[in-house]
Amino acid sequence: MVVLPGTAVAAEGEPALVHASPQNSCKLNIRAGADVGSALLHTLTCTNYTTCVHTPERELPCGQVVTGGTYTCVGSDGKQLTDNRWAEVLWRSPQQSFVAVGCAAFRS
């Protein structure tokens, strides 16, 4: 589970909030597709949030993920991370929007 210290997973049945993590200079890109080449819609900070589309599942704090393009960032353990998991978020509904799961922080 990618949950930073001091954050919690959303209550059962409620989508989590997603924001940037301090390990990544408080920047998390919201993209129009599940790939770093997709249009940049917005950059979240450590203090502004958006909502995950799906409810949390087991070890997935933002619910179902999609496999997309590969990205790199600093993971919650402070080490460089390469991943391809993306979470759908509510940014420009009904258009789809995605964030890189490994780079994000979640809270209820």
Side-chain angles (χ1 to χ4, degrees), residues 40-87:
L40 174 64
L41 303 175
H42 184 73
T43 300
L44 294 173
T45 67
C46 288
T47 58
N48 67 347
Y49 302 81
T50 192
T51 305
C52 296
V53 168
H54 304 287
T55 55
E57 296 178 8
R58 295 182 204 134
E59 295 185 15
L60 301 171
C62 205
Q64 299 172 3
V65 296
V66 297
T67 301
T70 302
Y71 57 84
T72 60
C73 62
V74 179
S76 61
D77 60 0
K79 295 180 181 174
Q80 190 70 21
L81 168 77
T82 299
D83 203 346
N84 65 353
R85 297 173 303 140
W86 296 79

